[in-house]
Amino acid sequence: MEFRWDVVIDAMPQMLAGAQLTAYITLLGIGGGLVIGTLCGLILAFRFPVINWIAFAYVSVIRGTPIVVQAMFIYFALPMALDITLSGFAAASICLAMNAGAYITEIVRGAVLSIDKGQTDAGLALGLSYPQVLLHIVGPLAFRRTIPPLGNQFIISLKDSALFLVIGVAELAQRGEQLTAQTGRALEIWTAVAVFYLIMTFTLAMVMRAIERRMRIL
């Protein structure tokens, strides 16, 4: 079958719009996931009473269910239960943030627990309070160790955004599906979609690699 470049060129405006929406959803999801994951990770690492179990339950539920099911629940079931209206974009962003947050929780928890307890003892011996030790000693060391696995999670979240076509979000994969139906040229459309995802994931990987070098992570 001949590869028709004109099909790709004609479809480019819609694909760019889909890629832009994918980037927005991913950025919001990653941002929300970082906030949720950092808080829950610290809660689990330091075993705060009561809320430790809430954080554990959250992580268990999210990690134990597929993201497609989570998206369908947030978009269809949750608005019915709470009598609210959610757009596909809002539902996708919330879903990705909650999903990423559960995995980032374990990344943060593991990084904090990997820091030698002697570091904490040394800080306390110098007269620092426990929050100061966390902020100035444990925190920076743990942050460096989170960067490589965080980069991996960010890329996974970017690719997971393609699953939101099930709730009608017009991101890149949904645009690809629509364009294939319109043109009947699956080869050209899905090749272009794959290239767009490769460009975005490669760019994200290079940004994280630059941060790793900046932080001098071996």
Side-chain angles (χ1 to χ4, degrees), residues 39-41 43-44 50-60 105:
L39 290 175
C40 291
I43 289 170
L44 289 177
V50 183
I51 55 175
N52 173 65
W53 290 104
I54 297 174
F56 177 77
Y58 154 69
V59 172
S60 299
T105 293

Side-chain angles (χ1 to χ4, degrees), residues 148-162:
L150 279 179
N152 185 56
Q153 180 57 47
F154 292 166
I155 290 173
I156 290 172
S157 294
L158 171 58
K159 293 188 293 183
D160 280 350
S161 67

Side-chain angles (χ1 to χ4, degrees), residues 25-42 58-59 62 92-108 150 153-154 157:
I25 291 172
T26 302
L27 288 174
L28 288 173
I30 287 173
L34 279 172
V35 173
I36 296 170
T38 301
L39 290 175
C40 291
L42 292 175
Y58 154 69
V59 172
I62 297 299
S93 301
I94 292 170
C95 180
L96 196 62
M98 293 185 65
N99 186 270
Y103 292 95
I104 292 173
T105 293
E106 291 302 303
I107 293 172
V108 171
L150 279 179
Q153 180 57 47
F154 292 166
S157 294

Side-chain angles (χ1 to χ4, degrees), residues 95-176:
C95 180
L96 196 62
M98 293 185 65
N99 186 270
Y103 292 95
I104 292 173
T105 293
E106 291 302 303
I107 293 172
V108 171
R109 184 183 71 87
V112 170
L113 293 179
S114 71
I115 304 302
D116 194 315
K117 192 175 182 298
Q119 302 279 358
T120 302
D121 294 338
L124 294 173
L126 290 173
L128 297 176
S129 66
Y130 204 83
Q132 287 176 321
V133 170
L134 178 62
L135 183 63
H136 299 293
I137 299 176
V138 176
L141 291 173
F143 173 71
R144 291 189 176 194
R145 297 185 182 185
T146 64
I147 292 176
L150 279 179
N152 185 56
Q153 180 57 47
F154 292 166
I155 290 173
I156 290 172
S157 294
L158 171 58
K159 293 188 293 183
D160 280 350
S161 67
L163 298 172
F164 296 130
L165 63 86
V166 299
I167 57 173
V169 180
E171 42 70 61
L172 185 55
Q174 171 80 331
R175 297 279 185 168

Side-chain angles (χ1 to χ4, degrees), residues 7 11 178-186 189:
V7 173
Q178 292 172 349
L179 288 165
T180 300
Q182 292 170 12
T183 64
R185 302 293 300 187
I189 297 300

